[in-house]
Amino acid sequence: GAGRQQKEGSAVSGDSGCYFLTDDGVACLLLADGMGTGAAAAQDSRTLLSSMERFLRAGITPVDALKAVSPAFRLRSAGMRFITLDTLTVDLFTGKAESLKCGAAPSYLRIGGRWTKLDTKTLPIGLAEEDGHSETVPLRLGHGDLFVMLSDGVSDGVDDGWVLETLQKHASEGAKELAAHLVTEARGRGTDDDRTALVLRIEKN
């Protein structure tokens, strides 16, 4: 499920998010946040996600896909712009998953009923000295588990008590409804920025 709101007064959002299922049964969530807001940030984030999606659908790992697309962004931006990237891939046959972050906001994960925050110390693409530099976390997801991916317009992880309260209060609702609650509750908190939330709920058929 996805929830989105652009910055107040902005016609477009600099955040781009998507989710899809590959032919090999791998569920993919991607979220990119372009520097600033508006059309330029939106173009950066959409272009990056489009490139990443092509590689992931072809069976390339997120790490290798990032190594392929980040040099092109650095060249195009000439060091003047940057972009954060957040990805999650889940093999729906085995539950094996991997989270990859490049300067992205924290994600929130519920496994076995316990909530965990996944943070990163990496820099956004365009600021890192090394192309494709990222931080990955291996995971194993199963029935009833939740993964919540946010842009920093929702929460940068510093004052996130309300995020955990919202997650605990609405965790039993659908993924789309939970994403909408997070985006709505974020309005007026912290900095005024584009707000995006992606929520994945794993359920066994």
Side-chain angles (χ1 to χ4, degrees):
R4 299 184 179 92
Q5 286 183 353
Q6 61 260 34
K7 179 181 178 180
E8 304 302 324
S10 179
V12 296
S13 173
D15 297 347
S16 292
C18 69
Y19 52 91
F20 55 89
L21 184 65
T22 72
D23 292 338
D24 295 328
V26 176
C28 303
L29 274 72
L30 293 86
L31 177 58
D33 182 358
M35 182 183 72
T37 59
Q43 182 178 5
D44 285 345
S45 61
R46 285 197 300 263
T47 300
L48 180 69
L49 287 200
S50 178
S51 298
M52 288 290 296
E53 180 175 349
R54 286 197 298 270
F55 280 103
L56 293 179
R57 285 188 179 275
I60 307 300
T61 66
V63 171
D64 288 338
L66 176 61
K67 290 178 180 178
V69 304
S70 60
F73 175 79
R74 288 170 62 91
L75 181 64
R76 188 174 65 252
S77 65
M80 300 300 293
R81 301 193 308 278
F82 61 86
I83 186 170
T84 67
L85 176 66
D86 209 344
T87 76
L88 175 74
T89 54
V90 186
D91 186 325
L92 296 183
F93 293 103
T94 65
K96 184 179 179 180
E98 183 178 70
S99 167
L100 176 149
K101 289 180 176 292
C102 291
S107 296
Y108 298 82
L109 170 66
R110 188 186 71 177
I111 295 181
R114 176 177 294 183
W115 285 100
T116 302
K117 181 165 69 173
L118 297 180
D119 211 341
T120 179
K121 296 180 180 180
T122 58
L123 295 173
I125 301 170
L127 287 182
E129 296 180 358
E130 180 181 352
D131 287 330
H133 182 62
S134 61
E135 185 172 306
T136 61
V137 177
L139 301 166
R140 179 77 65 173
L141 302 181
H143 177 69
D145 292 341
L146 282 166
F147 192 95
V148 180
M149 189 179 288
L150 306 172
S151 67
D152 62 3
V154 177
S155 174
D156 59 7
V158 176
D159 183 16
D160 63 351
W162 70 270
V163 175
L164 293 171
E165 290 178 4
T166 301
L167 291 173
Q168 292 167 354
K169 181 178 180 180
H170 300 285
S172 62
E173 300 181 23
K176 184 177 181 180
E177 289 74 19
L178 180 54
H181 282 302
L182 289 164
V183 169
T184 301
E185 289 293 327
R187 187 174 183 178
R189 300 176 185 269
T191 59
D192 182 20
D193 198 358
D194 303 314
R195 300 178 293 279
T196 303
L198 298 180
V199 177
L200 174 69
R201 181 189 299 277
I202 300 294
E203 295 181 354
K204 187 176 181 179
N205 290 329

